[in-house]
Amino acid sequence: MTAIAAASPAQQLVLRYFAALAEGDQAAIRECWAEDGSVWYGGDLPISGTWQGRDQVIDGFLATAFAHLDPEREIGVKVTNVFGEGDQVLVEWDSWATGKTGRPYHEKNIAVFVVRDGRIVTMREYADTQHWERALVAA
């Protein structure tokens, strides 16, 4: 039995979202999010704050994050742990890339997702924001 087959429906959805991110499948990413979904990211970065609505999550939060990465270099994401109960899913993952700054980015992330009616309605992400800034923003 694969890990995704053994996961709850909420966990399966979040794992599909991460697979779509890894593959760059924009249609699948969009399909995972509720129309009124939201993302919160801490700190004082270009991606920090609350992004409200699927369009802002995808065309704002995700687009802003990916705009800081060098698209000619490897961009990766690997889920390392997933668990939860009911409509809440906690995911740990590694992400790596090279910033447009030319500096390497390697982050260990964690986020709490809430899933309702087969769609992600909220994500609260926690990461080392100082590393994000040093690798992807700071001059």
Side-chain angles (χ1 to χ4, degrees), residues 88-133:
Q88 295 193 55
V89 179
L90 187 135
V91 179
E92 293 178 292
W93 71 96
D94 291 336
S95 54
W96 60 92
T98 300
K100 287 186 177 174
T101 60
R103 291 187 290 275
Y105 168 79
H106 187 252
E107 186 80 88
K108 294 197 176 292
N109 309 72
I110 191 167
V112 178
F113 291 82
V114 176
V115 173
R116 290 202 184 97
D117 300 324
R119 299 284 185 270
I120 299 167
V121 293
T122 62
M123 179 182 90
R124 295 181 315 277
E125 184 175 341
Y126 304 89
D128 180 350
T129 57
Q130 289 179 324
H131 172 66
W132 205 100
E133 183 175 32

Side-chain angles (χ1 to χ4, degrees), residues 3-16 83-86 88-89:
I4 196 165
S8 73
Q11 292 169 347
Q12 288 177 20
L13 172 66
V14 174
L15 289 170
R16 277 195 309 275
F83 57 94
E85 187 170 326
Q88 295 193 55
V89 179

Side-chain angles (χ1 to χ4, degrees), residues 11-78:
Q11 292 169 347
Q12 288 177 20
L13 172 66
V14 174
L15 289 170
R16 277 195 309 275
Y17 169 66
F18 275 92
L21 278 175
E23 295 166 8
D25 185 340
Q26 294 298 311
I29 290 168
R30 188 168 291 280
E31 180 65 22
C32 290
W33 281 91
E35 188 174 331
D36 62 346
S38 67
V39 166
W40 174 88
Y41 193 96
D44 188 25
L45 300 169
I47 62 169
S48 295
T50 300
W51 301 81
Q52 187 65 51
R54 178 174 47 214
D55 290 343
Q56 278 297 304
V57 167
I58 295 166
D59 302 329
F61 173 75
L62 290 175
T64 301
F66 278 90
H68 286 82
L69 308 179
D70 181 347
E72 301 299 317
R73 308 283 297 271
E74 179 184 18
I75 298 172
V77 60
K78 179 183 177 192

